[in-house]
Amino acid sequence: MLSPCIDHSSLLHAQQELRTVRDLLRWSVSQFNRCELAFGHGSDNAWDEAAYLLLHTLHLPLDTLDPYLDAIVLESERAAYLALIARRCNERVPAAYLTGEAWLQGHRFRVTPDTIVPRSPIAELLAEQLQPWIADPDAIYSALDLCTGSGCLAILTALAFPQAQVDAVDLSDAALEVAQSNIDAFGLNDRMSLFKSDLLDQVPQTAYDLIICNPPYVNEQSMQNLPQEYRHEPQLALAGGDDGMDLVRRILEAAPNYLSPEGVLVLEIGNEYDNFVAAFPELEPIWLSTETAEDQILLLSREQLAP
């Protein structure tokens, strides 16, 4: 149990002294830095996270801060915001769990502690319709998102490939409930289906043109060293065994049976590049780069997986 970083007296003093949006932001950034928070669940620095939490609390547009910096905050608004800041600092709860939402490629997704916080760089590639590796996005008729969690990547896949029927798979009933709520919110029930399955084991036999997968891949040593914020996420969705490749091995073995002849697998492995190369020295994937990720996402054709 963490000892409180912000005690009751500090909160009471803040409630009495802080008046404007600018005041609250400055104080929050100071507390985030003093408490040495870890970021990475939607923002990578104290200022952006404090601004997001404040704009969310005040029901203001998340991309418009400057006009409101000198606005006076109501006592009730101030109390609600400071309560979020206290939980963020004292419990190390990721911001997305405090607000119940996460944003990916400009889209809002509902999240709960039953799902990891959406942040996969695969989202950036989907926004570009995986071009040039997929020459004709309209020729993708069936797609699968494996380990779907909140359903965010499955939904972005459906938006990127308008002709595709998209299946989404997870082992967690609670995660699938969250995914269904997001599918409902996007109005995609006619194009998307959810399956409870241990990876591909219970998925109906289908020849997918595209499989997307952000599986559990964190190696055991890294799991032991995770910042407290990441320990709020389902360990089932993070832990990948001694070398992080336990589930990846199963995926690569089964994937050829679920890909069409021209189908491709897009797989995220995070910071496990060295472990992947050691585990699969015979494979020569295409490594896909994004603004935030190098050697973290790979693409393999069915032919490479089952020559």
Side-chain angles (χ1 to χ4, degrees):
M1 184 72 176
L2 291 171
S3 59
C5 183
I6 302 178
D7 60 25
H8 178 72
S9 62
S10 296
L11 278 178
L12 183 61
H13 185 71
Q15 178 74 16
Q16 294 170 340
E17 296 295 328
L18 305 177
R19 289 289 177 264
T20 67
V21 168
R22 192 188 303 273
D23 292 341
L24 288 167
L25 279 175
R26 200 284 307 159
W27 183 84
S28 302
V29 172
S30 294
Q31 302 312 306
F32 286 0
N33 289 333
R34 183 178 65 82
C35 296
E36 298 182 338
L37 300 188
F39 302 100
H41 292 97
S43 61
D44 61 5
N45 64 83
W47 171 265
D48 286 347
E49 187 139 317
Y52 162 67
L53 287 171
L54 184 53
L55 291 168
H56 174 89
T57 303
L58 298 179
H59 305 286
L60 293 172
L62 298 182
D63 58 352
T64 307
L65 174 62
D66 288 352
Y68 305 107
L69 281 171
D70 295 311
I72 301 295
V73 179
L74 296 176
E75 183 178 352
S76 59
E77 295 173 327
R78 187 162 60 249
Y81 176 67
L82 292 176
L84 287 184
I85 297 306
R87 288 198 66 200
R88 181 69 185 89
C89 290
N90 292 342
E91 302 174 37
R92 299 295 200 269
V93 179
Y97 292 155
L98 296 174
T99 63
E101 67 178 21
W103 292 80
L104 206 56
Q105 291 297 315
H107 297 284
R108 178 188 180 275
F109 297 96
R110 174 178 171 248
V111 295
T112 75
D114 294 311
T115 69
I116 62 171
V117 176
R119 55 184 178 274
S120 172
I122 290 177
E124 181 184 329
L125 301 173
L126 290 172
E128 300 169 355
Q129 297 178 300
L130 285 169
Q131 294 186 346
W133 302 281
I134 291 180
D136 182 4
D138 287 332
I140 301 296
Y141 298 108
S142 60
L144 171 68
D145 177 30
L146 199 55
C147 308
T148 196
S150 64
C152 57
L153 292 183
I155 289 168
L156 293 179
T157 298
L159 298 178
F161 304 104
Q163 305 304 316
Q165 291 291 320
V166 180
D167 294 339
V169 170
D170 206 283
L171 184 58
S172 164
D173 288 317
L176 289 171
E177 289 181 9
V178 175
Q180 185 61 62
S181 70
N182 281 319
I183 292 170
D184 293 343
F186 279 80
L188 289 169
N189 279 290
D190 60 332
R191 293 183 49 215
M192 298 188 67
S193 300
L194 293 173
F195 295 95
K196 180 180 180 180
S197 178
D198 184 0
L199 297 180
L200 288 159
D201 289 356
Q202 289 80 39
V203 177
Q205 194 70 50
T206 305
Y208 293 104
D209 299 317
L210 172 64
I211 297 177
I212 299 286
C213 186
N214 176 21
Y217 53 67
V218 182
N219 70 67
E220 180 59 28
Q221 182 176 353
S222 295
M223 286 294 297
Q224 298 302 318
N225 296 323
L226 284 177
Q228 190 66 33
E229 280 83 351
Y230 291 85
R231 298 182 185 279
H232 286 276
E233 296 186 290
Q235 300 304 289
L236 179 69
L238 296 174
D242 286 347
D243 65 351
M245 294 294 109
D246 283 5
L247 283 85
V248 172
R249 290 182 178 89
R250 292 176 55 197
I251 292 164
L252 295 185
E253 181 180 359
N257 300 322
Y258 287 84
L259 285 169
S260 63
E262 302 301 321
V264 296
L265 167 69
V266 175
L267 179 69
E268 180 174 338
I269 59 157
N271 296 317
E272 304 295 335
Y273 174 86
D274 290 339
N275 283 332
F276 179 89
V277 171
F280 309 103
E282 73 285 359
L283 290 178
E284 296 182 358
I286 297 173
W287 292 96
L288 309 181
S289 298
T290 71
E291 286 188 7
T292 59
E294 288 284 341
D295 295 337
Q296 296 187 18
I297 304 169
L298 58 96
L299 182 147
L300 287 161
S301 67
R302 185 188 185 281
E303 184 178 2
Q304 287 175 291
L305 291 167

Short mmCIF file of all heavy atoms in Angstrom, two decimals, residues 116-158:
data_model
loop_
_atom_site.label_atom_id
_atom_site.label_comp_id
_atom_site.label_asym_id
_atom_site.label_seq_id
_atom_site.Cartn_x
_atom_site.Cartn_y
_atom_site.Cartn_z
N ILE A 116 -6.81 -3.10 -20.72
CA ILE A 116 -5.66 -2.21 -20.71
C ILE A 116 -6.05 -0.89 -21.36
O ILE A 116 -7.02 -0.81 -22.13
CB ILE A 116 -4.43 -2.82 -21.43
CG1 ILE A 116 -4.71 -3.09 -22.91
CG2 ILE A 116 -3.96 -4.08 -20.73
CD1 ILE A 116 -3.47 -3.49 -23.68
N VAL A 117 -5.32 0.15 -21.04
CA VAL A 117 -5.61 1.47 -21.60
C VAL A 117 -5.17 1.50 -23.06
O VAL A 117 -4.02 1.20 -23.38
CB VAL A 117 -4.88 2.56 -20.80
CG1 VAL A 117 -5.11 3.93 -21.43
CG2 VAL A 117 -5.33 2.55 -19.34
N PRO A 118 -6.06 1.85 -23.99
CA PRO A 118 -5.70 1.89 -25.41
C PRO A 118 -4.54 2.84 -25.67
O PRO A 118 -4.57 4.00 -25.27
CB PRO A 118 -6.98 2.40 -26.08
CG PRO A 118 -8.08 2.00 -25.16
CD PRO A 118 -7.49 2.14 -23.78
N ARG A 119 -3.50 2.33 -26.32
CA ARG A 119 -2.34 3.15 -26.64
C ARG A 119 -1.49 2.54 -27.75
O ARG A 119 -0.39 3.02 -28.03
CB ARG A 119 -1.47 3.35 -25.40
CG ARG A 119 -1.03 2.05 -24.72
CD ARG A 119 -0.26 2.32 -23.45
NE ARG A 119 0.16 1.12 -22.72
CZ ARG A 119 -0.60 0.48 -21.85
NH1 ARG A 119 -1.83 0.89 -21.60
NH2 ARG A 119 -0.14 -0.59 -21.21
N SER A 120 -1.96 1.48 -28.37
CA SER A 120 -1.14 0.75 -29.34
C SER A 120 -0.78 1.63 -30.54
O SER A 120 -1.65 2.26 -31.14
CB SER A 120 -1.88 -0.49 -29.83
OG SER A 120 -1.17 -1.10 -30.90
N PRO A 121 0.51 1.64 -30.92
CA PRO A 121 0.89 2.38 -32.14
C PRO A 121 0.34 1.75 -33.41
O PRO A 121 0.42 2.37 -34.47
CB PRO A 121 2.43 2.32 -32.11
CG PRO A 121 2.76 1.16 -31.22
CD PRO A 121 1.67 1.06 -30.21
N ILE A 122 -0.24 0.55 -33.32
CA ILE A 122 -0.93 -0.01 -34.49
C ILE A 122 -2.03 0.93 -34.95
O ILE A 122 -2.34 1.00 -36.15
CB ILE A 122 -1.51 -1.40 -34.16
CG1 ILE A 122 -0.38 -2.42 -33.99
CG2 ILE A 122 -2.46 -1.88 -35.26
CD1 ILE A 122 -0.86 -3.81 -33.58
N ALA A 123 -2.60 1.70 -34.02
CA ALA A 123 -3.67 2.64 -34.38
C ALA A 123 -3.22 3.63 -35.45
O ALA A 123 -3.98 3.98 -36.35
CB ALA A 123 -4.15 3.38 -33.14
N GLU A 124 -1.98 4.08 -35.34
CA GLU A 124 -1.45 5.03 -36.34
C GLU A 124 -1.38 4.38 -37.71
O GLU A 124 -1.70 5.00 -38.74
CB GLU A 124 -0.07 5.51 -35.91
CG GLU A 124 0.56 6.51 -36.86
CD GLU A 124 1.97 6.90 -36.44
OE1 GLU A 124 2.25 6.90 -35.23
OE2 GLU A 124 2.79 7.20 -37.33
N LEU A 125 -0.97 3.12 -37.76
CA LEU A 125 -0.89 2.41 -39.03
C LEU A 125 -2.28 2.19 -39.63
O LEU A 125 -2.46 2.26 -40.85
CB LEU A 125 -0.18 1.07 -38.84
CG LEU A 125 1.25 1.16 -38.29
CD1 LEU A 125 1.77 -0.23 -37.97
CD2 LEU A 125 2.17 1.85 -39.30
N LEU A 126 -3.26 1.92 -38.79
CA LEU A 126 -4.62 1.73 -39.27
C LEU A 126 -5.19 3.03 -39.83
O LEU A 126 -5.96 3.01 -40.80
CB LEU A 126 -5.52 1.20 -38.14
CG LEU A 126 -5.24 -0.24 -37.71
CD1 LEU A 126 -6.04 -0.58 -36.46
CD2 LEU A 126 -5.57 -1.22 -38.84
N ALA A 127 -4.82 4.15 -39.23
CA ALA A 127 -5.28 5.44 -39.75
C ALA A 127 -4.79 5.67 -41.17
O ALA A 127 -5.42 6.40 -41.95
CB ALA A 127 -4.81 6.57 -38.84
N GLU A 128 -3.68 5.02 -41.52
CA GLU A 128 -3.12 5.11 -42.87
C GLU A 128 -3.51 3.90 -43.72
O GLU A 128 -2.95 3.68 -44.79
CB GLU A 128 -1.60 5.22 -42.79
CG GLU A 128 -1.13 6.45 -42.03
CD GLU A 128 0.36 6.42 -41.71
OE1 GLU A 128 1.00 5.40 -42.00
OE2 GLU A 128 0.85 7.43 -41.15
N GLN A 129 -4.48 3.11 -43.21
CA GLN A 129 -4.98 1.91 -43.90
C GLN A 129 -3.86 0.92 -44.24
O GLN A 129 -3.92 0.20 -45.23
CB GLN A 129 -5.75 2.30 -45.17
CG GLN A 129 -6.99 3.14 -44.89
CD GLN A 129 -7.70 3.55 -46.15
OE1 GLN A 129 -7.12 4.23 -47.01
NE2 GLN A 129 -8.96 3.16 -46.27
N LEU A 130 -2.85 0.91 -43.40
CA LEU A 130 -1.71 0.00 -43.55
C LEU A 130 -1.05 0.09 -44.93
O LEU A 130 -0.45 -0.86 -45.42
CB LEU A 130 -2.14 -1.46 -43.28
CG LEU A 130 -2.37 -1.79 -41.80
CD1 LEU A 130 -3.05 -3.13 -41.67
CD2 LEU A 130 -1.04 -1.80 -41.04
N GLN A 131 -1.19 1.24 -45.54
CA GLN A 131 -0.50 1.44 -46.82
C GLN A 131 0.96 1.77 -46.58
O GLN A 131 1.30 2.40 -45.57
CB GLN A 131 -1.21 2.56 -47.60
CG GLN A 131 -2.62 2.15 -48.01
CD GLN A 131 -3.29 3.18 -48.90
OE1 GLN A 131 -2.84 4.32 -49.02
NE2 GLN A 131 -4.37 2.81 -49.54
N PRO A 132 1.86 1.32 -47.46
CA PRO A 132 1.63 0.67 -48.75
C PRO A 132 1.55 -0.86 -48.69
O PRO A 132 1.46 -1.50 -49.73
CB PRO A 132 2.88 1.08 -49.54
CG PRO A 132 3.96 1.09 -48.49
CD PRO A 132 3.29 1.61 -47.24
N TRP A 133 1.55 -1.43 -47.49
CA TRP A 133 1.60 -2.89 -47.39
C TRP A 133 0.28 -3.53 -47.79
O TRP A 133 0.24 -4.67 -48.22
CB TRP A 133 2.02 -3.29 -45.98
CG TRP A 133 3.33 -2.69 -45.64
CD1 TRP A 133 4.57 -3.13 -46.03
CD2 TRP A 133 3.56 -1.51 -44.90
NE1 TRP A 133 5.54 -2.29 -45.57
CE2 TRP A 133 4.96 -1.29 -44.85
CE3 TRP A 133 2.72 -0.61 -44.22
CZ2 TRP A 133 5.52 -0.21 -44.20
CZ3 TRP A 133 3.28 0.47 -43.57
CH2 TRP A 133 4.67 0.65 -43.56
N ILE A 134 -0.81 -2.79 -47.65
CA ILE A 134 -2.10 -3.20 -48.21
C ILE A 134 -2.41 -2.24 -49.35
O ILE A 134 -2.70 -1.06 -49.12
CB ILE A 134 -3.19 -3.21 -47.14
CG1 ILE A 134 -2.93 -4.35 -46.15
CG2 ILE A 134 -4.58 -3.36 -47.77
CD1 ILE A 134 -3.93 -4.47 -45.04
N ALA A 135 -2.30 -2.75 -50.55
CA ALA A 135 -2.40 -1.88 -51.73
C ALA A 135 -3.81 -1.34 -51.93
O ALA A 135 -3.99 -0.19 -52.32
CB ALA A 135 -1.94 -2.64 -52.97
N ASP A 136 -4.83 -2.16 -51.68
CA ASP A 136 -6.21 -1.77 -51.92
C ASP A 136 -7.03 -2.01 -50.66
O ASP A 136 -7.46 -3.14 -50.40
CB ASP A 136 -6.80 -2.56 -53.09
CG ASP A 136 -8.22 -2.14 -53.43
OD1 ASP A 136 -8.72 -1.18 -52.80
OD2 ASP A 136 -8.84 -2.77 -54.29
N PRO A 137 -7.29 -0.97 -49.87
CA PRO A 137 -8.06 -1.16 -48.64
C PRO A 137 -9.45 -1.73 -48.87
O PRO A 137 -10.00 -2.42 -48.00
CB PRO A 137 -8.13 0.26 -48.06
CG PRO A 137 -6.93 0.96 -48.62
CD PRO A 137 -6.76 0.40 -50.00
N ASP A 138 -10.01 -1.46 -50.02
CA ASP A 138 -11.36 -1.98 -50.32
C ASP A 138 -11.34 -3.47 -50.63
O ASP A 138 -12.41 -4.09 -50.74
CB ASP A 138 -11.97 -1.22 -51.50
CG ASP A 138 -12.38 0.19 -51.12
OD1 ASP A 138 -12.71 0.41 -49.93
OD2 ASP A 138 -12.37 1.08 -51.99
N ALA A 139 -10.15 -4.05 -50.74
CA ALA A 139 -10.06 -5.49 -51.01
C ALA A 139 -9.92 -6.30 -49.71
O ALA A 139 -9.76 -7.52 -49.75
CB ALA A 139 -8.88 -5.78 -51.93
N ILE A 140 -9.98 -5.62 -48.58
CA ILE A 140 -9.98 -6.32 -47.29
C ILE A 140 -11.44 -6.58 -46.91
O ILE A 140 -12.19 -5.67 -46.58
CB ILE A 140 -9.28 -5.49 -46.19
CG1 ILE A 140 -7.84 -5.20 -46.58
CG2 ILE A 140 -9.35 -6.22 -44.85
CD1 ILE A 140 -6.97 -6.44 -46.70
N TYR A 141 -11.84 -7.86 -47.00
CA TYR A 141 -13.23 -8.21 -46.76
C TYR A 141 -13.46 -8.86 -45.39
O TYR A 141 -14.59 -8.88 -44.90
CB TYR A 141 -13.72 -9.16 -47.85
CG TYR A 141 -13.69 -8.54 -49.23
CD1 TYR A 141 -12.75 -8.94 -50.17
CD2 TYR A 141 -14.57 -7.53 -49.57
CE1 TYR A 141 -12.71 -8.37 -51.43
CE2 TYR A 141 -14.54 -6.93 -50.83
CZ TYR A 141 -13.59 -7.36 -51.76
OH TYR A 141 -13.55 -6.78 -52.99
N SER A 142 -12.40 -9.37 -44.79
CA SER A 142 -12.55 -9.98 -43.47
C SER A 142 -11.28 -9.69 -42.65
O SER A 142 -10.16 -9.79 -43.17
CB SER A 142 -12.76 -11.48 -43.58
OG SER A 142 -11.66 -12.10 -44.22
N ALA A 143 -11.49 -9.32 -41.40
CA ALA A 143 -10.36 -8.98 -40.53
C ALA A 143 -10.65 -9.46 -39.12
O ALA A 143 -11.81 -9.63 -38.72
CB ALA A 143 -10.12 -7.47 -40.53
N LEU A 144 -9.58 -9.71 -38.39
CA LEU A 144 -9.67 -10.19 -37.02
C LEU A 144 -8.75 -9.36 -36.13
O LEU A 144 -7.59 -9.12 -36.48
CB LEU A 144 -9.25 -11.66 -36.95
CG LEU A 144 -9.07 -12.28 -35.55
CD1 LEU A 144 -10.42 -12.39 -34.84
CD2 LEU A 144 -8.39 -13.64 -35.64
N ASP A 145 -9.29 -8.95 -34.99
CA ASP A 145 -8.46 -8.33 -33.95
C ASP A 145 -8.37 -9.30 -32.80
O ASP A 145 -9.36 -9.57 -32.11
CB ASP A 145 -9.07 -7.00 -33.49
CG ASP A 145 -8.28 -6.36 -32.36
OD1 ASP A 145 -7.05 -6.57 -32.31
OD2 ASP A 145 -8.89 -5.66 -31.53
N LEU A 146 -7.18 -9.83 -32.59
CA LEU A 146 -6.93 -10.84 -31.56
C LEU A 146 -6.45 -10.15 -30.29
O LEU A 146 -5.61 -9.25 -30.36
CB LEU A 146 -5.87 -11.81 -32.08
CG LEU A 146 -5.72 -13.19 -31.45
CD1 LEU A 146 -7.03 -13.96 -31.46
CD2 LEU A 146 -4.63 -13.97 -32.18
N CYS A 147 -6.97 -10.56 -29.14
CA CYS A 147 -6.69 -9.89 -27.85
C CYS A 147 -7.23 -8.46 -27.89
O CYS A 147 -6.51 -7.49 -27.68
CB CYS A 147 -5.21 -9.90 -27.53
SG CYS A 147 -4.42 -11.52 -27.62
N THR A 148 -8.52 -8.34 -28.13
CA THR A 148 -9.11 -7.04 -28.47
C THR A 148 -9.25 -6.09 -27.30
O THR A 148 -9.27 -4.87 -27.48
CB THR A 148 -10.47 -7.24 -29.15
OG1 THR A 148 -10.86 -6.04 -29.81
CG2 THR A 148 -11.55 -7.65 -28.15
N GLY A 149 -9.36 -6.58 -26.06
CA GLY A 149 -9.51 -5.67 -24.93
C GLY A 149 -10.74 -4.81 -25.07
O GLY A 149 -11.87 -5.31 -25.17
N SER A 150 -10.55 -3.50 -25.10
CA SER A 150 -11.66 -2.56 -25.22
C SER A 150 -12.29 -2.54 -26.61
O SER A 150 -13.30 -1.85 -26.81
CB SER A 150 -11.18 -1.15 -24.87
OG SER A 150 -10.21 -0.71 -25.82
N GLY A 151 -11.69 -3.24 -27.55
CA GLY A 151 -12.21 -3.25 -28.92
C GLY A 151 -11.72 -2.11 -29.77
O GLY A 151 -12.14 -1.95 -30.92
N CYS A 152 -10.79 -1.29 -29.25
CA CYS A 152 -10.39 -0.08 -29.97
C CYS A 152 -9.75 -0.38 -31.32
O CYS A 152 -10.09 0.24 -32.34
CB CYS A 152 -9.47 0.77 -29.11
SG CYS A 152 -7.98 -0.06 -28.54
N LEU A 153 -8.82 -1.34 -31.38
CA LEU A 153 -8.16 -1.64 -32.65
C LEU A 153 -9.12 -2.31 -33.63
O LEU A 153 -9.04 -2.08 -34.84
CB LEU A 153 -6.93 -2.52 -32.43
CG LEU A 153 -5.76 -1.87 -31.70
CD1 LEU A 153 -4.58 -2.84 -31.61
CD2 LEU A 153 -5.32 -0.57 -32.38
N ALA A 154 -10.04 -3.11 -33.11
CA ALA A 154 -11.04 -3.73 -33.99
C ALA A 154 -11.92 -2.66 -34.62
O ALA A 154 -12.22 -2.72 -35.83
CB ALA A 154 -11.89 -4.72 -33.19
N ILE A 155 -12.31 -1.67 -33.84
CA ILE A 155 -13.15 -0.60 -34.36
C ILE A 155 -12.37 0.25 -35.37
O ILE A 155 -12.88 0.60 -36.44
CB ILE A 155 -13.68 0.26 -33.20
CG1 ILE A 155 -14.73 -0.55 -32.42
CG2 ILE A 155 -14.26 1.58 -33.69
CD1 ILE A 155 -15.12 0.05 -31.09
N LEU A 156 -11.12 0.57 -35.05
CA LEU A 156 -10.31 1.33 -36.01
C LEU A 156 -10.08 0.54 -37.29
O LEU A 156 -9.98 1.12 -38.39
CB LEU A 156 -8.97 1.71 -35.37
CG LEU A 156 -9.05 2.71 -34.22
CD1 LEU A 156 -7.66 2.98 -33.65
CD2 LEU A 156 -9.71 4.02 -34.65
N THR A 157 -10.00 -0.78 -37.17
CA THR A 157 -9.88 -1.63 -38.37
C THR A 157 -11.14 -1.53 -39.21
O THR A 157 -11.07 -1.41 -40.45
CB THR A 157 -9.62 -3.09 -37.96
OG1 THR A 157 -8.39 -3.17 -37.23
CG2 THR A 157 -9.53 -4.00 -39.17
N ALA A 158 -12.30 -1.58 -38.58
CA ALA A 158 -13.55 -1.46 -39.31
C ALA A 158 -13.67 -0.11 -40.00
O ALA A 158 -14.18 -0.01 -41.13
CB ALA A 158 -14.73 -1.69 -38.36
#
